[in-house]
Amino acid sequence: MLDYMLKELMTLAAARKIKDGDIVFCGTGISMLAAMAAKHICAPNSVIFFETGAIDSLLEEVPLAVADSRVMFWTSVNGNLADAFATMQSRITGPHVVGIMGAAQIDKFGNLNSTAIGDYFKPKVRFSGSGGACDVASFVGRTITFMQHEKRKFVPKVDYITSPGWLDGPDGRKKAGLPDGGPESVITNMATMGFDDITREMYLTGFFPGITPQQILDNMGFDIDVSRATEVAPPTNFELKILREKCDPQRLILG
Amino acid sequence: MLDYMLKELMTLAAARKIKDGDIVFCGTGISMLAAMAAKHICAPNSVIFFETGAIDSLLEEVPLAVADSRVMFWTSVNGNLADAFATMQSRITGPHVVGIMGAAQIDKFGNLNSTAIGDYFKPKVRFSGSGGACDVASFVGRTITFMQHEKRKFVPKVDYITSPGWLDGPDGRKKAGLPDGGPESVITNMATMGFDDITREMYLTGFFPGITPQQILDNMGFDIDVSRATEVAPPTNFELKILREKCDPQRLILG
Amino acid sequence: MNISQDKTISLPEAVTKFVFSGCHLSIGGFTASRNPMAAVYEIIRQKISNIHLYAHSNGQGVDELIGAGCVSRLEIAYAGTGRFAPTCVRFKKAAQSGAIAIEDYSNYQMTLRFMAGAMGVPFLPTRSSLGTDIIEKWGFSRQMRSEDPRLPDQKLRVMDNPFGSWGDAPKLVLVPAINCDVTIIHVQKADLEGTVRMEGLSFSDVEQAKCARHLIVTCEELVSSDFLKAGPDQNQIPSFCVDAVVHIPYGAYPTACYRYYDYDPAYLNAYRKNAEDDALYNAYLEEFVYGVPDHQGLLNKIGNGRLNAIKADPRTGYAVGLDRR
Amino acid sequence: MNISQDKTISLPEAVTKFVFSGCHLSIGGFTASRNPMAAVYEIIRQKISNIHLYAHSNGQGVDELIGAGCVSRLEIAYAGTGRFAPTCVRFKKAAQSGAIAIEDYSNYQMTLRFMAGAMGVPFLPTRSSLGTDIIEKWGFSRQMRSEDPRLPDQKLRVMDNPFGSWGDAPKLVLVPAINCDVTIIHVQKADLEGTVRMEGLSFSDVEQAKCARHLIVTCEELVSSDFLKAGPDQNQIPSFCVDAVVHIPYGAYPTACYRYYDYDPAYLNAYRKNAEDDALYNAYLEEFVYGVPDHQGLLNKIGNGRLNAIKADPRTGYAVGLDRR
C-alpha cells in the first residue's frame, strides 16, 4: 500500500469528480491542486479559471491567492471579475462550470457559511465573507465543497447562509428563484458525501481507507444515510506522482 | 470678405460652441470636422470620442464611418460600445459631454426623427434608425444638431421621436425621467438656433451673413422667435485655414 | 459547447451546422468594419431563409442578408454603411415595402441586450429612450410576441426606480436579453481552440459572442495558442465560448479589418448603385455571390490589384491615401 | 473632473485634496495584489477617520485602514489576504468587537454595484444570493439608511422578472449602485493626463475608477502619452475620468504589482503576527507607518535586499522561486 497524506487523498477525490470539458472554478489551496491534478488525470480538456478573470493559467508556481501574479502568467485570457462571474451566471457556460469551494460550516442541504459564527451582528468568530463563493454556489452547474470533518463544522443549521446549497430541500432553489444546479459533493479528511437526488439531503458516498462510517457520523452534528457508502479508492501511484511532481512540487499547499 | 462655403460656416458655428474640457461625442461628416476644428480653435483640452469606443483619435485621415479603422489609430483608449455609452450615461462624465448629431426631422422642442417618415409600420421613407443618437440625446449635458434648413425637415410634430429633445416642453424631460441636459443649439445652412431657458422652444440666435430672418422662417414648418437673433460672424482666416488644412485637406467631407 | 482542442472547420460546414432557416442569428462588426462577410455570402449561397436577425449598427452584412431574401425579422439600432450608404439601400426598400418586420432600438440598448444575454440575466436597465417612440412603437406586435416563445412578451419596460431617489434616476427602461441561436464574428486572430484576439475596437462583438448558444469565429490568421498566451491581456474571448473556428483571410471583405485591410470603396459604391435597382441587384447577386463557389472565388474576381490597394499600412492599420471617393 | 494636461501631484497633496474624514472611499486591488498601499499608508499618516469604505476582495489595504482606526463603515465581499491571512486579522477583531459597522455582499454583487455607478444606473440585476442571508441580514439598519442620504434606502431588492419567463430567471436581486467620493487605484503605467494601462488582471479597478466622483491614480511608471497611444487596445481608463496622477514606484508594496514586483511574504507574515496583538500592532504602526515620512521611507526601512528578492522576473511577471513560506 502506498504511503499518502489525507490531504492528498482529499485533493484526488475531488480531482476524480472533474469531467472532461468542465470549466473549473477554483480558489487557491487544495481546490486549485484538485483542478490541476484533474487536467493530468481525467479531464485533459477541462479549463481552470479564477474569479479574478484569469482563464487557463499555466500555474508554473502555486499561487497563494486568486489575485496572485502567478495566475496572470501565460493564460488564454486575462479578464476581470465582471467577466468571470458572467461566465458562471451565463445560461450557456454556467451549467458547464464546476465550482470547488470551502466553508466554516455546512448543513445537511449543503448550505455554506463563510461569514460569521454566532450572531451576525455580534459575531463570536468573523470570517472573510463570501468573496465569490455565494456567486458560484448561486450560478453554476455543480459544486464540490472541501470541509474538515468536525462536529462544529457539520451543523444542523448554519449560523449564516453565505452560499446557497439546496436551501431547505428539494424545491428550495426553485422557490428562491435560483438556477438549476447545486451542491454535488462534499469531501473531507474522512469521507466523500453526495446529495440525494430526491430529498437533496447529504448522504455518505465513500469512506476513506481505515475510517468507518460510524467514525464519520461521530464527527458530524447531524445524521446522514451511510447505507450507500463504499470505500474510497486510495491514490494510485500515478495520481500521487502527478500531484507531488506536477501540481505542488514545493509542497506549499500539501505541506 | 473671405470666400467660404456654407458648409464651412456651419462646421465652424458648431466648433465655436465647444468649450475647453468638453468631451465631444461626434459622428462622421461635418460633426467630426466641427469637433476637430474646435480642438485647434477654442477648446484645446476637449476630447473627441466615438460611440464605437475610440477616445481621442489622432484622425490623420478623415473617417467615413465611426467604425472606420481611421478612428482606431493612435487613440488614448480603444474600448467598445458599452464603455462609450456608459461614459455618456454616467452622472460624473455625462454632464460634460456635448453630443453633435443630425436628423431627418426636428420639431420646435428639438425632438429628432432619424427613423421613418410617415407611418412607422408602413414608412414612406425609412432611414437608418437611431444608432447611438437616442442614447446621446437621452444622456448627455447638451447636444448640437445639424440640419438642412428645409420646411419638410422643420416640422410641427416629428413623425417618430427617435432622440428626445425637450419632449413636450419645460418639464418634458423631467416627467419622462430623463437626466438633466438636452438640446442646446441647432445649426443649419442658414442659421443657428437655441432653446429658450423657460419655454424650451426653439428661437433664432443667429442668421448667416446674407440671410434674413424672414428667409429662415420661410423655410420652416413652424414659427420661431427671431427677435434675439444677430448675424453670425463669418469664418475668420484662421478658422478657415484650420478647417481646410488640418481637418479635411482632401475635402472628403467639405466637398 | 465544443470542448475539442481543434475546432477548425470549413465555412460551408460551419454555416450548414449552425445556421438554419428560422434561426435567431446575430452578426458582429459595425457599419463598414469587421462584418463577417464571408459567412454572410455563404449563408446567401446556402439559401438559408426566414432568419431572425439581431445587430446594433451593422451595415453591409445586414443589407446583403436582407437583399438576398434571407431575413424575415430584424432587431436593429442602425442600418447604414457610413458614407457609402447612410441608410442601407436594400434594408430601406424592405422596410418601405413591408417585406420584413423591423423593430428599432438604440445602439446602447442593443449592446445592453447582448450583454444581458452574455451575463445570464433577463434584462438590463438604462435611461435611454425615455419619452421616445422607441418605447411607444413596437415593431413586433404583442400578439406576435405572445405566440412566439422565442420572443420576450414585451419590447421593453419602463419602471420606477425601486431604490427611490438613489442614483437620481426616477425611471428606468429595462431592455430584454438576447439569447440567439448563433453569433458569427470576424476577428483578426484566433487559435485552433477558439481563443480570440480582436485588434482595434471590439464594438459589441464580445457581448454578441457570449450571448449565443453557438459561436462561429472567422479569422484572418490562425495563430498558435502560445502566441496568444504570450499577450493574454489582449485576448477577449475564451475558447469555451467558441464552437467553430474558420480560417478565412479577407473574411470581412468588402468591409475593413483593422491592421489587415481597409474597406473597398469601389465595391461598396458599386454595391449601393446596384442595390438601388432590383434588376441590377439580382445581377450583382448572380455575379458576385451565387456566381462564385466561395469567398476565395469572390477575391479572385476582385483581383490582386484592388486587394493590394486596400492593404493596411503597418503603421496606421488602414490603407493610407486610399481613393475613397 | 480635471481637464489639465498634467495632473501629476504628490501623494500627500492628492490625499489631502480628495480624501476627507467621513468620505466614501473605494480602493482597488484584490487580496495581496495591486492594493494602493502607498496611498493607504498616507491616509493613515494623515489620520483621516470615519471613512465609509467600499471594496470587493481587497485584503491588505482594507485591513490596514481598519487597523489604524480610519474606518467606521465597511461594505465588502471578502476580507482576506490569500494564504497570508485567510481572514484579515484587524478586520476580524473590529467585526467581533463591533468597532465598525460591516455590510456583506458577494464579489459579483460588489462588482455590479461599482459597475452600476460607472454606468450611471441606480442598480443592476443578478441571480446571486437568492435564498441566502446576504439578502436577509442588513449590516446597516433601515433606520440608519433612511437617515443617511448617502446610503440607498435598501441593501438590495428581490424582484420578480418583469419579462415573465424570459431568460428562465423568475427572480432577480437588484443591487444598488455605488457612487463614492473618491477611488484610489494603483496601476502599472499612466501618462501625465491620466490615461491608464493596467497589466495582467484588472480585477474591478475599471468599474471602481469610473463610479467615483474623484479618481486618484498611483502608478509605477509615468510614461509618455505617445507610448500609451501606440497600444491603445491595452489601455483601460481615459484621462477624463482621472483627477490626480501620482508617480510612486512600489506603490502597491507590500502587495504585488504584476510585472514589477511580487508581494513580500516576510512583510505580510510579520504583519499578520503583529495584527494578532494590540500592543504589537501599535508598535507596528509606530515603526512602519507613522515612523516613516512617506512611502520611500518605508522602502528604505525594508532595504534593497528584500526589494530585490521580490523583483519580478521579466518572463513571468513575478519573483520566480521566492521564498513564500
Side-chain angles (χ1 to χ4, degrees):
Chain A
M1 186 177 145
L2 285 164
D3 201 25
Y4 62 88
M5 296 163 59
L6 274 176
K7 216 170 184 178
E8 290 173 328
L9 181 53
M10 285 176 77
T11 307
L12 291 166
R16 292 167 185 166
K17 299 207 173 284
I18 295 170
K19 298 175 196 150
D20 205 21
D22 278 351
I23 308 171
V24 187
F25 166 91
C26 57
T28 49
I30 64 171
S31 75
M32 195 191 52
L33 289 191
M36 290 171 78
K39 271 188 84 85
H40 291 97
I41 294 169
C42 51
N45 294 308
S46 60
V47 178
I48 299 175
F49 85 112
F50 296 95
E51 65 188 299
T52 44
I55 296 172
D56 203 17
S57 315
L58 182 61
L59 302 176
E60 278 187 352
E61 287 190 9
V62 166
L64 299 185
V66 293
D68 195 312
S69 299
R70 286 155 189 80
V71 310
M72 306 181 194
F73 171 62
W74 215 258
T75 68
S76 290
V77 180
N78 273 341
N80 56 35
L81 274 73
D83 293 341
F85 290 112
T87 295
M88 294 190 267
Q89 193 175 226
S90 156
R91 295 163 58 203
I92 297 149
T93 43
H96 299 280
V97 176
V98 54
I100 318 184
M101 29 216 314
Q105 290 183 325
I106 188 169
D107 69 18
K108 70 175 175 178
F109 291 118
N111 301 304
L112 304 179
N113 175 11
S114 51
T115 302
I117 301 290
D119 179 6
Y120 174 67
F121 299 97
K122 277 189 155 300
K124 211 174 124 217
V125 185
R126 170 72 210 205
F127 298 101
S128 59
S130 161
C134 170
D135 306 308
V136 177
S138 296
F139 299 150
V140 309
R142 53 195 227 277
T143 58
I144 298 169
T145 303
F146 279 116
M147 296 293 297
Q148 284 298 308
H149 214 115
E150 297 172 27
K151 221 175 192 118
R152 61 184 185 128
K153 289 176 183 273
F154 283 79
V155 294
K157 188 172 165 15
V158 296
D159 292 357
Y160 182 103
I161 301 182
T162 309
S163 305
W166 298 107
L167 293 173
D168 60 0
D171 294 327
R173 291 179 70 92
K174 198 180 163 77
K175 276 185 298 179
L178 287 169
D180 294 341
E184 182 194 67
S185 41
V186 179
I187 293 168
T188 74
N189 48 322
M190 301 177 90
T192 64
M193 282 147 285
F195 294 87
D196 185 87
D197 284 347
I198 307 299
T199 67
R200 297 307 190 190
E201 286 187 32
M202 193 185 292
Y203 70 98
L204 193 68
T205 51
F207 42 88
F208 283 8
I211 309 277
T212 67
Q214 189 55 48
Q215 282 175 295
I216 289 163
L217 289 174
D218 288 348
N219 284 283
M220 296 178 78
F222 52 87
D223 271 345
I224 58 172
D225 172 22
V226 299
S227 67
R228 289 171 270 180
T230 54
E231 187 175 275
V232 174
T236 65
N237 211 339
F238 173 71
E239 287 175 331
L240 279 180
K241 194 175 153 74
I242 290 294
L243 193 58
R244 291 172 181 176
E245 292 174 19
K246 297 262 184 195
C247 303
D248 189 15
Q250 296 178 286
R251 301 196 76 81
L252 279 166
I253 291 168
L254 294 173
Chain B
M1 186 177 145
L2 285 163
D3 202 22
Y4 62 88
M5 297 163 59
L6 274 177
K7 214 169 185 179
E8 290 173 329
L9 182 52
M10 284 177 79
T11 307
L12 290 166
R16 293 166 185 166
K17 299 209 174 283
I18 295 170
K19 298 175 195 151
D20 204 21
D22 277 352
I23 307 171
V24 186
F25 166 90
C26 57
T28 48
I30 64 171
S31 74
M32 196 192 51
L33 288 190
M36 290 171 77
K39 272 188 83 87
H40 291 96
I41 294 169
C42 51
N45 294 308
S46 60
V47 177
I48 299 175
F49 86 113
F50 297 94
E51 64 187 301
T52 44
I55 296 172
D56 203 18
S57 314
L58 181 61
L59 302 174
E60 277 187 353
E61 288 191 7
V62 166
L64 299 185
V66 292
D68 195 312
S69 300
R70 286 155 189 79
V71 309
M72 306 181 194
F73 171 63
W74 214 259
T75 68
S76 290
V77 180
N78 272 343
N80 55 36
L81 274 73
D83 293 341
F85 290 112
T87 295
M88 295 191 267
Q89 192 174 228
S90 156
R91 295 163 58 204
I92 298 150
T93 44
H96 299 279
V97 176
V98 54
I100 318 184
M101 30 218 311
Q105 289 183 327
I106 187 169
D107 69 18
K108 70 174 175 179
F109 292 118
N111 302 303
L112 304 178
N113 175 10
S114 50
T115 303
I117 302 289
D119 179 6
Y120 174 66
F121 300 97
K122 276 186 155 298
K124 209 173 126 220
V125 186
R126 170 72 210 206
F127 298 101
S128 60
S130 160
C134 171
D135 306 308
V136 177
S138 296
F139 299 150
V140 311
R142 52 195 227 277
T143 58
I144 298 169
T145 304
F146 280 115
M147 295 293 297
Q148 284 299 308
H149 214 115
E150 297 172 26
K151 221 176 192 118
R152 61 184 183 127
K153 290 177 182 273
F154 283 78
V155 294
K157 187 171 163 21
V158 295
D159 291 356
Y160 182 103
I161 301 181
T162 311
S163 305
W166 297 109
L167 293 173
D168 59 1
D171 294 326
R173 291 179 69 92
K174 198 181 162 79
K175 275 185 299 180
L178 286 169
D180 294 341
E184 182 194 69
S185 42
V186 180
I187 293 168
T188 74
N189 48 324
M190 302 177 89
T192 62
M193 282 146 285
F195 294 86
D196 185 87
D197 284 346
I198 307 299
T199 66
R200 297 306 190 191
E201 287 187 31
M202 194 185 290
Y203 70 98
L204 192 69
T205 51
F207 42 87
F208 283 8
I211 308 277
T212 67
Q214 190 55 49
Q215 283 175 293
I216 289 162
L217 289 174
D218 288 347
N219 284 283
M220 297 178 77
F222 53 87
D223 271 345
I224 59 172
D225 173 22
V226 299
S227 67
R228 289 171 269 180
T230 54
E231 187 175 274
V232 174
T236 66
N237 211 339
F238 173 70
E239 287 174 331
L240 280 178
K241 194 176 154 72
I242 289 294
L243 193 57
R244 293 171 181 177
E245 293 175 17
K246 298 261 185 197
C247 303
D248 188 17
Q250 296 178 284
R251 302 197 75 81
L252 279 167
I253 292 168
L254 294 172
Chain C
M1 189 149 167
N2 177 345
I3 65 162
S4 80
Q5 300 197 322
D6 182 354
K7 298 177 187 166
T8 54
I9 183 175
S10 77
L11 184 55
E13 284 176 288
V15 167
T16 302
K17 189 164 177 190
F18 295 112
V19 185
F20 51 91
S21 285
C23 79
H24 286 228
L25 167 70
S26 107
I27 60 174
F30 197 111
T31 56
S33 263
R34 263 198 318 95
N35 284 222
M37 293 308 299
V40 162
Y41 292 131
E42 181 59 28
I43 290 169
I44 298 173
R45 273 191 294 271
Q46 291 196 16
K47 296 197 158 65
I48 297 169
S49 63
N50 202 27
I51 290 173
H52 187 117
L53 187 61
Y54 302 88
H56 46 88
S57 282
N58 187 292
Q60 193 64 16
V62 162
D63 204 52
E64 301 227 28
L65 284 172
I66 292 171
C70 301
V71 177
S72 60
R73 301 196 296 209
L74 175 65
E75 304 191 32
I76 198 163
Y78 186 85
T81 314
R83 212 203 46 183
F84 300 105
T87 300
C88 289
V89 179
R90 300 308 297 186
F91 158 82
K92 185 187 193 106
K93 283 180 186 288
Q96 290 172 188
S97 72
I100 62 171
I102 299 170
E103 189 157 87
D104 278 276
Y105 295 86
S106 71
N107 257 350
Y108 191 41
Q109 289 176 335
M110 288 305 288
T111 297
L112 290 173
R113 296 183 64 201
F114 293 125
M115 194 189 292
M119 287 168 70
V121 288
F123 65 86
L124 282 172
T126 173
R127 305 181 73 180
S128 179
S129 83
L130 286 163
T132 73
D133 283 321
I134 288 178
I135 291 175
E136 290 303 316
K137 301 217 160 72
W138 295 15
F140 305 156
S141 69
R142 216 170 260 276
Q143 190 184 343
M144 171 177 163
R145 292 176 171 283
S146 69
E147 287 167 1
D148 187 341
R150 309 190 61 206
L151 289 178
D153 282 352
Q154 295 166 93
K155 181 186 180 188
L156 32 69
R157 283 197 66 150
V158 178
M159 79 181 279
D160 288 337
N161 182 351
F163 290 92
S165 62
W166 189 247
D168 278 341
K171 289 182 187 181
L172 283 306
V173 180
L174 308 185
V175 294
I178 293 170
N179 282 107
C180 53
D181 295 308
V182 53
T183 287
I184 310 177
I185 60 173
H186 183 72
V187 307
Q188 281 86 353
K189 294 179 171 79
D191 68 13
L192 294 174
E193 281 187 80
T195 300
V196 164
R197 178 177 302 175
M198 284 179 267
E199 297 173 351
L201 299 169
S202 57
F203 309 132
S204 297
D205 281 19
V206 174
E207 291 84 358
Q208 291 184 258
K210 292 184 176 177
C211 81
R213 189 147 298 279
H214 296 293
L215 173 61
I216 301 173
V217 170
T218 66
C219 63
E220 286 299 319
E221 270 194 88
L222 205 53
V223 296
S224 72
S225 296
D226 277 356
F227 177 87
L228 294 180
K229 287 190 157 194
D233 300 8
Q234 297 168 69
N235 307 334
Q236 296 96 350
I237 300 176
S239 60
F240 52 67
C241 295
V242 179
D243 291 274
V245 177
V246 182
H247 180 214
I248 190 139
Y250 285 94
Y253 180 88
T255 69
C257 188
Y258 184 58
R259 286 199 184 137
Y260 287 76
Y261 46 89
D262 220 320
Y263 40 71
D264 184 357
Y267 194 104
L268 295 175
N269 282 327
Y271 175 88
R272 185 193 52 238
K273 208 181 124 208
N274 289 323
E276 294 287 0
D277 180 275
D278 288 353
L280 285 177
Y281 195 71
N282 285 332
Y284 158 78
L285 280 176
E286 287 304 329
E287 181 175 359
F288 289 91
V289 188
Y290 298 124
V292 296
D294 54 21
H295 203 58
Q296 189 56 50
L298 173 63
L299 300 176
N300 292 345
K301 193 181 269 295
I302 299 306
N304 281 335
R306 263 165 71 188
L307 294 182
N308 280 335
I310 60 169
K311 204 173 159 204
D313 158 66
R315 184 181 68 94
T316 59
Y318 55 85
V320 172
L322 175 67
D323 183 352
R324 296 185 286 150
R325 284 165 302 182
Chain D
M1 188 147 167
N2 176 346
I3 64 162
S4 78
Q5 300 197 321
D6 182 354
K7 298 177 187 167
T8 53
I9 182 175
S10 77
L11 184 55
E13 283 176 289
V15 167
T16 301
K17 190 164 177 192
F18 295 111
V19 185
F20 51 91
S21 286
C23 78
H24 286 228
L25 168 70
S26 107
I27 59 174
F30 197 111
T31 57
S33 263
R34 263 197 320 95
N35 284 221
M37 294 307 300
V40 162
Y41 292 131
E42 181 59 28
I43 290 169
I44 297 173
R45 273 191 295 272
Q46 291 196 16
K47 296 197 159 66
I48 296 168
S49 63
N50 203 27
I51 291 173
H52 187 118
L53 188 61
Y54 302 87
H56 45 90
S57 283
N58 188 292
Q60 192 65 16
V62 162
D63 204 53
E64 300 227 28
L65 285 172
I66 292 171
C70 300
V71 177
S72 60
R73 301 195 296 207
L74 175 65
E75 304 191 32
I76 199 163
Y78 186 84
T81 313
R83 213 203 46 183
F84 300 106
T87 301
C88 289
V89 178
R90 300 309 297 186
F91 159 82
K92 185 187 193 107
K93 283 180 186 287
Q96 291 172 187
S97 72
I100 63 172
I102 298 170
E103 190 157 85
D104 279 275
Y105 295 86
S106 72
N107 257 351
Y108 191 41
Q109 289 175 335
M110 288 305 289
T111 297
L112 289 173
R113 296 183 64 201
F114 292 125
M115 194 189 291
M119 287 168 69
V121 288
F123 66 86
L124 282 172
T126 175
R127 304 181 73 181
S128 178
S129 83
L130 286 163
T132 74
D133 283 320
I134 288 178
I135 291 176
E136 291 302 316
K137 301 216 161 74
W138 294 15
F140 305 156
S141 69
R142 218 169 258 276
Q143 190 185 342
M144 172 177 164
R145 292 175 171 283
S146 69
E147 287 168 1
D148 187 342
R150 310 190 61 207
L151 289 178
D153 283 352
Q154 296 165 93
K155 181 185 180 188
L156 32 70
R157 283 198 65 151
V158 177
M159 80 181 278
D160 288 337
N161 182 351
F163 290 92
S165 61
W166 189 247
D168 278 341
K171 289 183 186 181
L172 283 307
V173 181
L174 309 184
V175 293
I178 292 169
N179 283 106
C180 53
D181 295 308
V182 53
T183 287
I184 310 177
I185 59 173
H186 183 72
V187 307
Q188 280 87 353
K189 294 179 172 77
D191 67 13
L192 294 173
E193 281 187 81
T195 300
V196 164
R197 178 177 301 176
M198 285 179 267
E199 297 173 350
L201 299 169
S202 56
F203 309 132
S204 296
D205 281 19
V206 174
E207 291 83 358
Q208 292 184 257
K210 292 183 176 178
C211 81
R213 190 146 298 279
H214 296 294
L215 173 61
I216 301 174
V217 170
T218 67
C219 64
E220 286 299 317
E221 269 194 88
L222 206 53
V223 296
S224 71
S225 296
D226 278 355
F227 176 87
L228 293 180
K229 287 191 158 193
D233 300 9
Q234 297 168 70
N235 307 333
Q236 296 96 351
I237 301 176
S239 61
F240 52 68
C241 294
V242 180
D243 291 274
V245 177
V246 182
H247 180 213
I248 190 140
Y250 285 94
Y253 180 88
T255 69
C257 188
Y258 183 58
R259 286 196 185 141
Y260 287 77
Y261 46 88
D262 220 319
Y263 40 71
D264 184 357
Y267 193 105
L268 296 176
N269 282 325
Y271 175 87
R272 184 192 53 238
K273 207 181 125 208
N274 289 323
E276 293 286 359
D277 181 277
D278 287 354
L280 285 177
Y281 195 72
N282 284 332
Y284 159 78
L285 280 177
E286 285 305 328
E287 181 175 359
F288 288 91
V289 188
Y290 298 123
V292 297
D294 55 21
H295 204 59
Q296 189 55 52
L298 173 63
L299 300 176
N300 292 344
K301 194 180 267 296
I302 299 304
N304 282 334
R306 264 165 71 188
L307 294 182
N308 280 335
I310 61 170
K311 204 171 159 203
D313 158 65
R315 184 181 70 93
T316 59
Y318 56 85
V320 173
L322 175 66
D323 183 352
R324 296 185 285 149
R325 283 165 302 185

